[in-house]
């Protein structure tokens, strides 16, 4: 530090000596400065005086140095006569003020004391210059401390950014530090919304107004909207009195609620793109310095980097999540492929080794960990079977799954998985594939059995037409086909009952009927053949079933297989097929007459035998089975009379002969009318409640007449 005294300039400074602070002083006369041509007299080296030289700690010139006259006396070099208790003390006081970081107004005190003590103008001017230098040093120190704090805050923010985990936390830290370093009442940050074309409040610090915290600014509106639009910083000492900004009611109301006056806003930029604005604001008028604007800009750059990093992390996380999901899908698909390959290999092995439908069901049951069985069409759930056949997928029915086994529009049955109410797509596809393999097996077997069916058809044709064939050869052929020619058989004539759009559709329906009839005959050890626009079957009849019951079952089975009504007429039982070939042809004619009767009576889609038509059956049947008719009509009454010795048959005969009048009947029988009523009541219990209906009454009267005309039949 320099000061002028008595034509000399004093230079002061600090130096260390033995761990102590010392003051270095050099004095120059005006004429001793460089360029004057006069030697300069200054102390070349300053050191503490030894004990012999000076005991008060003052400084003295070293050996060989020039010394000012009177320098060892009191007040040497001190025109004011103050010594170290005068001017030097005042200069030292400025250093002490700097050392203890005193406020700026404290630096006026040495100057004021010197003036109060009446010091000369030169000394006062020197003190004034020393004060200004000290204040400049103080300002420099304060600036350095402030810059150190700013750099520290920026470093901490950058550190937080480097360890970014939560974007909101980092942005909150940025606005907190910006508010603290700039010393403002409020700091806040807005982000641009590209979809809505405005900028919205994201983070606030020091805000107290809810409306302000939810504020949205259109591009170009208010100070923030202008910053977001122009990508330039803007500052105002008094927002409401500043005409540069587009004031809107919404923005002004929010700012007024918060009580803000002075506002500084800087853009958040990623390259040339503005993504938001960082603000610092006060509730009083204030001038923001250039350094403060630059500092807030630095924080804005960090905030933009934080947002960009967060977006990159988010995209990376999403990408990693997508990769993880892709890996899971790949693993699942690999597992699916392995399981599908395993099922395919097992099913292929079964087919190659001649496995059947039930073998396929057992293999699939093992894979699916459930119970799988093949069911006929009639045993499968109708709704689920139809739905599965239509869309080709397995359908859930209660706790079971049903997969239709079908091919070429023909329904063979279904694979039913039980015990697995929940089925994933892979297992569902496995069940569907097993159903497909089952249908292929059935088709392959059908193709292989077509030749056998043709052979069966040829045998039936020979039984119907070639009456001169050798019975021994017919028996051998029947045995090879699994038919028993000595068992009782029924000949059934089947015909489609629906109308068809054209001849092609009718031919296709007839082929399906023949196929279904052939399959039925093969499974029942019978024979089938296409004949007379329909199909004829020869099926064994197992007791206690009747021909009429067999006809009804066959009609239902064939109708389900071809998906339309099939009418079936049946003959009576025929025995000894190979020995009496004429019997088969006669039975076929009887079945055709029953078939025609069903169609004439409007009973299409049903099955019946001659016995189902009452007395008409006598006309339809090839052999007049009068005994059977009598037995079916009044056999119960005849048997009752035989066991009990009653006279119910004669009572019935008299009852009908007297016009179904109980009064005339009692005269005919010479009994009381109550006796007639009791006998008729007994007849009703034996024959059924409808025995007096016109149709039943006609059959009963015919049976009574046949019984009366043929005692032998009655005994039978």
């Amino acid at each position: 530090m320099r000061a002028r005294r008595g034509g000399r300039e004093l230079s002061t400074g600090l130096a260390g000596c033995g761990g102590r602070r010392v003051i270095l002083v050099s004095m120059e006369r005006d004429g001793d400065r460089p360029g004057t041509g006069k030697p300069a007299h200054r102390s070349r080296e300053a050191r503490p005086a030894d004990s012999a030289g000076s005991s008060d700690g003052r400084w003295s010139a070293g050996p060989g140095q020039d010394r000012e006259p009177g320098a060892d006396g009191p007040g040497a070099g001190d025109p004011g006569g103050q010594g170290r208790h005068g001017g030097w003390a005042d200069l030292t006081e400025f250093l002490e003020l700097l050392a203890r970081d005193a406020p700026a107004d404290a630096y006026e005190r040495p100057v004021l004391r010197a003036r109060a003590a009446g010091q000369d103008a030169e000394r006062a001017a020197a003190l004034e210059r020393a004060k200004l230098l000290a204040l400049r040093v103080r300002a420099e120190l304060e600036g350095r401390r402030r810059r150190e704090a700013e750099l520290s805050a920026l470093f901490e923010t950058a550190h937080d950014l480097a360890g970014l985990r939560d974007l909101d936390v980092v942005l909150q830290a940025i606005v907190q530090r910006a508010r603290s370093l700039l010393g403002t009442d409020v700091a806040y940050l807005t982000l641009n919304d590209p979809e809505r074309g405005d900028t919205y409040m994201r983070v606030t610090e020091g805000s107290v107004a809810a409306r302000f915290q939810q504020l949205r600014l259109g591009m170009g509106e208010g100070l923030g909207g202008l910053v977001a639009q122009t990508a330039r910083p803007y500052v105002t000492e008094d927002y409401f009195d500043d005409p540069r900004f587009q004031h809107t009611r919404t923005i002004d109301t929010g700012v007024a609620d918060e009580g803000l006056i002075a506002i500084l806003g800087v853009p958040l930029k990623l390259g040339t793109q503005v993504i938001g604005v960082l603000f610092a604001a006060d509730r009083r008028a204030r001038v923001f310095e250039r350094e403060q604007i630059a500092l807030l800009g630095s924080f804005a750059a960090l905030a933009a980097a934080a947002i960009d990093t967060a977006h990159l992390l988010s995209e990376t996380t999403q990408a990693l999540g997508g990769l993880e999901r892709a890996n899971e899908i790949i693993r699942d698909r690999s597992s699916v492929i392995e399981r599908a390959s395993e099922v395919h290999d097992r099913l292929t092995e079964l087919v190659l080794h001649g496995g059947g439908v039930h073998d396929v069901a057992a293999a699939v049951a093992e894979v699916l960990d459930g119970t799988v069985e093949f069911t006929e069409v009639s045993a499968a759930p109708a709704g689920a079977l139809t739905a599965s056949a239509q869309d080709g997928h397995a359908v859930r029915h209660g706790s079971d799954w049903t997969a239709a086994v079908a091919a070429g529009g023909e329904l063979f049955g279904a694979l039913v998985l039980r015990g697995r109410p929940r089925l994933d797509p892979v297992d569902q596809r496995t069940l569907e594939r097993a159903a497909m393999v089952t249908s292929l097996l059935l088709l392959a077997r059908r193709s292989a059995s077509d030749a056998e069916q043709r052979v069966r058809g040829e045998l039936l044709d020979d039984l119907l037409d070639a009456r001169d064939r050798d019975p021994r050869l017919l028996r051998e052929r029947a045995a090879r086909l699994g038919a028993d020619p000595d068992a009782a058989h029924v000949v059934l004539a089947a015909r489609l009952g629906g109308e068809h759009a054209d001849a092609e559709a009718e031919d296709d329906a007839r082929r399906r009927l023949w196929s279904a009839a052939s399959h039925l005959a093969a499974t029942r050890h019978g024979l089938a053949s296409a004949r007379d626009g329909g199909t004829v079957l020869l099926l064994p009849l197992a007791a206690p079933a009747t021909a009429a019951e067999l006809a009804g079952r066959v009609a239902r089975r064939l109708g389900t297989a071809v998906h339309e009504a099939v009418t079936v007429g049946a003959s009576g039982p025929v025995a000894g097929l190979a020995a009496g070939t004429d019997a088969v042809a006669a039975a076929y004619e009887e079945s055709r007459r029953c078939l025609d009767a069903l169609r004439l009576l409007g009973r299409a889609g049903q099955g019946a035998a001659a016995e189902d038509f009452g007395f008409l059956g006598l006309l339809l049947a090839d052999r007049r089975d009068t005994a059977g008719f009598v037995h079916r009509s009044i056999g119960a009454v005849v048997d009752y009379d035989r066991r009990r010795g009653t006279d119910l048959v004669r009572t019935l005969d008299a009852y009908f002969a007297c016009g179904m009048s109980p009064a005339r009947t009692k005269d005919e029988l010479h009994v009381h009318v109550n006796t007639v009523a009791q006998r008729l009541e007994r007849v009703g219990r034996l024959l059924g409640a409808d025995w007096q209906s016109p149709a039943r009454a006609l059959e009963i009267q015919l049976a009574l007449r046949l019984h009366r005309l043929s005692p032998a039949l009655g005994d039978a």
Side-chain angles (χ1 to χ4, degrees):
M1 183 171 62
R2 296 176 178 271
R4 295 184 59 85
R5 293 193 59 190
R8 297 174 181 174
E9 184 176 290
L10 285 72
S11 297
T12 63
L14 297 178
C17 183
R20 298 167 55 191
R21 280 187 174 182
V22 298
I23 301 176
L24 302 179
V25 182
S26 66
M27 294 177 291
E28 297 178 351
R29 293 185 177 89
D30 291 346
D32 294 339
R33 294 178 182 172
T36 61
K38 297 182 179 180
H41 297 277
R42 65 178 66 187
S43 71
R44 297 178 181 173
E45 181 180 357
R47 58 182 175 82
D50 57 14
S51 56
S54 175
S55 61
D56 58 3
R58 288 181 298 170
W59 294 90
S60 62
Q65 293 178 337
D66 295 335
R67 305 180 62 163
E68 291 289 340
D72 293 333
D78 185 3
Q82 297 296 323
R84 70 184 181 91
H85 299 291
W88 298 120
D90 292 335
L91 296 177
T92 304
E93 187 174 357
F94 287 121
L95 297 177
E96 292 176 351
L97 291 174
L98 289 172
R100 67 171 185 264
D101 196 19
D105 55 1
Y107 289 79
E108 295 290 342
R109 296 171 187 167
V111 178
L112 295 176
R113 282 200 303 271
R115 290 175 179 171
Q119 298 292 335
D120 58 82
E122 185 178 0
R123 173 174 169 71
L127 286 175
E128 185 67 26
R129 285 194 299 273
K131 179 196 74 172
L132 295 177
L133 289 174
L135 288 174
R136 185 182 302 172
V137 172
R138 179 180 180 277
E140 182 67 22
L141 292 175
E142 286 184 352
R144 290 185 178 183
R145 282 195 298 269
R146 184 172 64 253
R147 286 192 292 275
E148 182 181 358
E150 293 171 355
L151 291 174
S152 176
L154 290 173
F155 176 79
E156 292 175 359
T157 304
H159 181 270
D160 292 343
L161 178 59
L164 178 66
R165 292 296 180 269
D166 188 338
L167 177 62
D168 289 334
V169 173
V170 174
L171 295 182
Q172 190 68 47
I174 287 175
V175 296
Q176 286 176 350
R177 289 164 185 162
R179 178 193 178 200
S180 175
L181 289 177
L182 270 67
T184 57
D185 297 324
V186 182
Y188 51 98
L189 182 147
T190 63
L191 292 180
N192 290 2
D193 187 344
E195 294 183 359
R196 297 184 56 172
D198 61 3
T199 181
Y200 64 95
M201 195 72 68
R202 174 65 186 273
V203 182
T204 64
E205 177 65 23
S207 173
V208 295
R211 186 182 307 182
F212 179 78
Q213 296 169 8
Q214 301 173 0
L215 202 59
R216 300 187 74 97
L217 295 78
M219 290 298 177
E221 296 178 354
L223 185 145
L226 191 58
V227 174
Q229 184 182 55
T230 62
R232 296 173 55 190
Y234 277 88
V235 62
T236 179
E237 300 178 20
D238 190 338
Y239 172 75
F240 291 100
D241 290 338
D242 198 326
R244 293 177 299 165
F245 310 116
Q246 179 183 346
H247 293 268
T248 66
R249 181 176 181 181
T250 302
I251 299 174
D252 288 357
T253 302
V255 174
D257 287 351
E258 193 62 52
L260 300 181
I261 302 298
I263 304 176
L264 167 61
V266 294
L268 304 177
K269 298 174 64 176
L270 288 176
T272 60
Q273 180 185 5
V274 177
I275 63 172
V277 181
L278 179 61
F279 299 86
D282 258 339
R283 296 188 175 94
R284 63 184 183 280
R286 169 178 176 171
V287 176
F288 288 96
E289 299 176 359
R290 185 182 300 273
E291 292 79 3
Q292 293 174 324
I293 298 175
L295 175 62
L296 193 63
S298 299
F299 276 110
L302 290 177
I307 295 171
D308 188 38
T309 303
H311 288 165
L312 292 176
L313 286 176
S314 176
E315 292 175 358
T316 303
T317 303
Q318 292 178 359
L320 290 175
L323 290 175
E324 183 64 27
R325 288 190 295 272
N327 288 332
E328 292 178 358
I329 293 173
I330 291 173
R331 288 194 295 268
D332 292 341
R333 293 299 179 227
S334 298
S335 175
V336 169
I337 293 173
E338 291 177 0
R339 292 177 59 188
S341 177
E342 177 186 358
V343 172
H344 181 268
D345 292 342
R346 296 192 63 176
L347 294 179
T348 302
E349 184 179 359
L350 283 174
V351 172
L352 293 178
H353 287 79
V357 172
H358 297 289
D359 296 326
V360 173
V364 175
E366 183 178 351
V367 173
L368 299 183
D369 192 21
T371 301
V372 179
E373 61 181 10
F374 175 77
T375 62
E376 300 289 344
V377 173
S378 58
L385 182 61
T386 302
S388 178
Q390 288 177 350
D391 61 16
H393 296 292
V395 176
R396 182 176 175 180
H397 179 73
S399 60
D400 301 336
W401 288 82
T402 301
V405 178
E410 184 177 354
L411 197 56
F412 302 121
L415 284 184
V416 180
L417 171 63
R418 308 187 189 280
R420 288 287 304 275
R422 295 186 179 277
L423 203 62
D424 60 43
V426 178
D427 291 341
Q428 181 178 347
R429 181 57 182 161
T430 298
L431 180 61
E432 294 166 359
R433 180 173 295 178
M436 183 182 301
V437 171
T438 303
S439 65
L440 293 176
L441 275 177
L442 293 176
L443 281 178
R445 292 195 174 186
R446 174 174 293 183
S447 299
S449 65
D450 279 346
E452 180 184 350
Q453 299 303 328
R454 284 193 293 271
V455 172
R456 289 178 181 273
E458 291 172 357
L459 175 58
L460 182 55
D461 289 337
D462 289 343
L463 289 172
L464 293 172
D465 299 330
R467 302 176 182 178
D468 57 348
R469 291 293 179 95
D470 186 354
R472 183 180 57 82
L473 295 178
L474 293 176
R475 184 182 296 276
E476 291 178 357
R477 290 169 61 187
R480 285 197 298 269
L481 294 174
D484 184 4
D486 296 325
H489 285 72
V490 174
V491 179
L492 303 105
R495 188 171 296 173
L496 296 169
E499 297 293 334
H500 299 90
D502 50 36
E504 183 178 354
E506 185 175 359
D507 291 342
D508 183 65
R510 287 178 179 177
R511 282 193 296 270
R512 293 200 308 270
L513 176 60
W514 177 82
S515 177
S518 299
H519 177 70
L520 178 61
T523 57
R524 298 295 178 88
H525 304 287
L527 304 174
S529 177
R531 197 176 187 88
D532 299 328
T535 301
V536 58
L537 296 95
L538 182 66
L539 298 179
L541 180 66
T546 65
E549 293 172 348
L550 180 59
R553 289 198 299 270
V554 171
R556 291 190 296 272
R557 180 73 177 272
L558 295 180
T560 302
V562 300
H563 304 292
E564 62 177 278
V566 176
T567 307
V568 177
S571 70
V574 180
L577 301 180
T581 55
D582 290 343
V584 177
Y588 174 59
E589 293 300 327
E590 180 181 339
S591 66
R592 287 188 61 188
R593 288 194 293 270
C594 290
L595 174 62
D596 293 337
L598 286 172
R599 298 178 67 184
L600 289 173
L601 294 173
R603 296 172 59 182
Q606 299 182 16
E611 63 189 52
D612 291 325
F613 294 97
F615 74 92
L616 291 177
L618 296 175
L619 304 177
L620 298 174
D622 180 68
R623 293 168 297 165
R624 302 294 183 260
D625 186 13
T626 55
F629 172 73
V630 170
H631 182 74
R632 288 192 300 271
S633 301
I634 61 172
V637 177
V638 173
D639 292 341
Y640 189 86
D641 281 348
R642 182 183 298 116
R643 293 193 308 269
R644 300 294 181 90
T646 55
D647 206 8
L648 297 182
V649 173
R650 192 167 71 89
T651 302
L652 269 176
D653 201 4
Y655 178 68
F656 285 114
C658 294
M660 302 176 68
S661 171
R664 290 197 295 272
T665 302
K666 61 100 174 171
D667 294 336
E668 178 70 20
L669 297 176
H670 304 287
V671 296
H672 196 274
V673 69
N674 290 340
T675 301
V676 174
Q678 291 173 359
R679 291 179 180 179
L680 295 178
E681 182 181 358
R682 175 65 63 183
V683 169
R685 286 199 295 269
L686 293 173
L687 299 182
D690 63 338
W691 71 276
Q692 297 189 71
S693 64
R696 286 292 306 279
L698 178 60
E699 291 182 0
I700 292 171
Q701 291 180 68
L702 179 58
L704 288 171
R705 180 160 297 189
L706 292 173
H707 176 68
R708 186 169 61 251
L709 294 175
S710 180
L713 293 177
D715 293 340

